[in-house]
Amino acid sequence: MKLVRYGERDHEKPGLIDATGAIRDLSGEVEDIAASALSPQALKRLAALDASALPLVSGKPRLGPCVGKVSKLLAIGLNYADHAREAGIAPPAEPVLFMKAVSAICGPNDDTIRPRDSNRLDHEVELGVVIGTRASYVEESRALDYVAGYCLANDISERGFQLERGGGQWDKGKGCDTFAPLGPWLVTRDEIADPQNLSLYLDVNGERRQTGNTANMIFPVAHIVAYLSCFLTLMPGDVILTGTPPGVGLGMKPPRFLNPGDEVRLGIAGLGEQHQRIIAWPG
Ligand code: ZN
């Protein structure tokens, strides 16, 4: 099942993608694609609906982030051996955790705002993991049971804020407005046979920059979920970004960063595609 949130910012409605690719309105079934609507029982009920009997959404509405009311947006750094190499850092012995501000979350095709004083804006295509069931101290062998589904994400980063102004931690460069496009869809776990065999790509102005496969993760999704659940309780609707493959602007020689007017397109097999236009900070 592919779940979406569509409509104007902060007023998104829940929907699902039917067999023809059209959006069907789920407003009569769930309040939002969020929290308790992501439990195994709730998803089972939605999956049993006859999509063709749900109201058809006409036109091409804006897509919002595919999960609403996210209480935590967690991210894992340096989780692909080849990306750690390009960053010039030894692969970590344990997952590297940082937090992205939930206020950074936006729709998959919303413009990316280059913040004031930014000149090192960068991209990171990533697999997003959406939690469906409260998880605390879970076993790795059962960790995927706590996952509602997956989505495409861009872990947009300001490298100057991240690496030179952070006092050793990265959050300043990771949480600016529009730095976390999520979607287009939340694809339920049953549709993703193996989260460790998904190809990822990202283009800037039509030029391929990032290529990878989740098979190259240092710490697989199940390990990440179990590991994080030993430090904090994962709540339904929480999202974990699982790291990026090589090809970020920072890793290029010389580095190449994003500028207003640039067009970014990214995707993951089975999870759809995002498109962002970079715009200058409007102030
Ligand atoms: Zn990242």
Side-chain angles (χ1 to χ4, degrees):
M1 200 164 37
K2 293 182 174 69
L3 300 169
V4 291
R5 296 170 72 251
Y6 66 95
E8 292 307 306
R9 190 182 173 92
D10 298 330
H11 299 281
E12 290 94 349
K13 290 181 171 179
L16 63 75
I17 304 294
D18 72 13
T20 72
I23 302 176
R24 299 281 177 162
D25 181 31
L26 279 175
S27 297
E29 303 294 335
V30 288
E31 193 186 325
D32 197 357
I33 306 299
S36 60
L38 300 173
S39 73
Q41 299 80 359
L43 291 178
K44 203 169 164 189
R45 191 178 68 80
L46 290 183
L49 295 172
D50 174 7
S52 65
L54 294 165
L56 182 66
V57 176
S58 60
K60 283 231 158 213
R62 166 187 175 269
L63 294 182
C66 59
V67 195
K69 302 178 183 69
V70 176
S71 68
K72 291 191 290 300
L73 178 56
L74 305 142
I76 303 299
L78 303 168
N79 196 29
Y80 286 74
D82 31 9
H83 171 57
R85 259 200 304 282
E86 80 173 346
I89 301 171
E94 289 186 71
V96 173
L97 171 66
F98 62 93
M99 307 288 277
K100 282 177 81 81
V102 292
S103 51
I105 293 172
C106 65
N109 306 313
D110 290 350
D111 291 342
T112 299
I113 302 169
R114 190 176 72 162
R116 189 169 68 181
D117 301 330
S118 161
N119 55 19
R120 299 175 72 187
L121 187 66
D122 209 349
H123 50 77
E124 298 190 348
V125 57
E126 306 203 3
L127 173 68
V129 177
V130 182
I131 298 297
T133 303
R134 193 176 189 277
S136 177
Y137 296 102
V138 302
E139 299 288 333
E140 183 169 337
S141 60
R142 292 202 52 225
L144 295 185
D145 295 349
Y146 295 80
V147 172
Y150 301 95
C151 66
L152 171 63
N154 191 353
D155 175 19
I156 299 170
S157 307
E158 212 302 326
R159 302 301 185 191
F161 297 0
Q162 176 191 351
L163 300 170
E164 286 155 19
R165 301 177 65 184
Q169 57 83 37
W170 298 350
D171 296 10
K172 281 180 197 168
K174 294 286 193 174
C176 307
D177 288 354
T178 71
F179 273 25
L182 301 180
W185 317 308
L186 191 177
V187 179
T188 49
R189 179 163 49 94
D190 56 290
E191 289 200 9
I192 302 296
D194 182 2
Q196 303 310 141
N197 185 22
L198 300 172
S199 58
L200 313 85
Y201 65 88
L202 183 144
D203 297 341
V204 178
N205 300 329
E207 181 189 318
R208 183 60 39 101
R209 293 285 182 85
Q210 292 193 261
T211 309
N213 192 290
T214 56
N216 295 324
M217 283 184 182
I218 298 169
F219 304 107
V221 172
H223 183 84
I224 291 169
V225 170
Y227 177 86
L228 292 179
S229 81
C230 297
F231 295 92
L232 42 79
T233 298
L234 296 166
M235 300 300 291
D238 283 354
V239 179
I240 305 165
L241 309 188
T242 54
T244 200
V248 302
L250 179 67
M252 299 181 81
K253 303 213 178 357
R256 290 171 72 182
F257 297 109
L258 297 169
N259 294 300
D262 286 347
E263 307 267 346
V264 179
R265 187 173 294 279
L266 57 149
I268 299 181
L271 298 182
E273 197 167 65
Q274 300 187 348
H275 173 253
Q276 291 114 28
R277 188 172 55 109
I278 311 302
I279 62 169
W281 188 70

